[in-house]
Amino acid sequence: MRILVVDDDPEIRRILKRGLAYEGYTVDLAEDGTTALAQALQASPDLVILDLMLPDMDGMEVCRRLRAGGPEGVPILMLTARDGVPDRVAGLDAGADDYLVKPFVMDELLARVRALLRRQQAQAGPLHYADLTLDEGTRLVRRGDRPIELTAREFDLLAFFLRHPRQVLTRDAIYEAVWGYDFEGESKVLEVYIRRLRTKIETGDEPPLIQTVRGVGYVIRET
């Protein structure tokens, strides 16, 4: 899961990046609204954490622009030092999904992030390709009528493929999306997980779905 953090305070950005990355999220950072809008269009985050007070445009305007032309339905958690009811109402009316007052406790922020992502996944419905189904809300995977048990990392890897069917994904793009920017593991880790996935989703006479594109990466498609 990719989260975009928008805050002009470098310390807040550092704290959020560290806490979110520790939980396994890929974190993009922006210090102003203009950069945030550009990154949102380019990277399509799964959730945006948005400060209300920004140097070029306030968070309300960024929120409205994200709703008008950003990734469809992306959850927005607004952060602000303003704790008045009118401010909260204004933030929610601008399109925010939740509102957290600074200073915040990291555990509460993470809980709200998880809740927003669960809600988003439930609304989006299961991911499908061919006879393969993955439900991010219930964490259930099936090939036809056959249930498939996956580890958390295998699940995230398969979900990334299913969000980009028939699209060739480079090794770097997969590492960045599934393991995060700071991945420093062995170079063969991805191959190991691909092999495990194939073993679990391509049994018996089931047609193979995960294809190797030699010298580039992998793609999920029917042969």
Side-chain angles (χ1 to χ4, degrees):
M1 289 288 181
R2 181 182 294 275
I3 296 178
L4 173 60
V5 173
V6 188
D7 200 298
D8 64 337
D9 186 333
E11 181 65 11
I12 294 292
R13 294 197 303 272
R14 185 189 67 80
I15 291 171
L16 288 175
K17 180 177 177 64
R18 183 180 62 185
L20 291 164
Y22 184 80
E23 294 296 316
Y25 300 108
T26 299
V27 184
D28 297 326
L29 301 175
E31 62 184 20
D32 57 57
T34 302
T35 304
L37 292 170
Q39 289 198 14
L41 290 174
Q42 180 179 2
S44 296
D46 298 291
L47 183 139
V48 176
I49 298 176
L50 176 62
D51 184 29
L52 180 60
M53 302 298 293
L54 296 171
D56 55 345
M57 68 180 83
D58 66 21
M60 302 288 189
E61 180 62 22
V62 175
C63 190
R64 283 189 285 267
R65 293 192 187 190
L66 283 172
R67 287 290 175 244
E72 184 176 356
V74 60
I76 298 174
L77 171 59
M78 190 167 284
L79 297 180
T80 180
R82 300 177 182 175
D83 60 356
V85 172
D87 296 309
R88 300 185 192 190
V89 171
L92 296 171
D93 284 345
D97 296 277
D98 201 355
Y99 195 100
L100 187 60
V101 176
K102 298 178 181 179
F104 55 83
V105 177
M106 180 58 72
D107 285 345
E108 181 182 3
L109 182 138
L110 291 172
R112 291 181 183 233
V113 165
R114 289 191 295 269
L116 288 171
L117 290 173
R118 282 196 303 269
R119 187 190 310 167
Q120 175 70 3
Q121 291 162 0
Q123 292 172 348
L127 298 170
H128 299 276
Y129 184 72
D131 59 347
L132 187 62
T133 302
L134 179 148
D135 191 320
E136 294 182 284
T138 63
R139 307 286 294 185
L140 296 177
V141 180
R142 305 185 72 87
R143 179 98 193 247
D145 295 327
R146 179 174 66 87
I148 301 172
E149 292 188 8
L150 300 179
T151 65
R153 189 72 75 183
E154 291 166 353
F155 185 94
D156 291 343
L157 179 57
L158 182 58
F160 185 59
F161 278 118
L162 290 174
R163 293 191 200 101
H164 303 86
R166 298 179 295 278
Q167 178 181 337
V168 177
L169 303 171
T170 66
R171 291 170 51 88
D172 287 345
I174 296 171
Y175 275 131
E176 179 181 316
V178 179
W179 277 268
Y181 281 118
D182 300 326
F183 176 77
E184 297 179 353
E186 299 178 5
S187 61
K188 297 297 183 182
V189 167
L190 180 55
E191 285 82 352
V192 171
Y193 275 89
I194 292 291
R195 185 163 61 248
R196 290 177 183 173
L197 266 185
R198 285 172 169 160
T199 299
K200 292 182 178 183
I201 71 172
E202 300 170 1
T203 63
D205 58 355
E206 294 170 331
L209 291 177
I210 299 177
Q211 313 293 332
T212 301
V213 181
R214 200 167 298 276
V216 181
Y218 300 91
V219 58
I220 187 165
R221 67 187 176 199
E222 296 178 283
T223 55

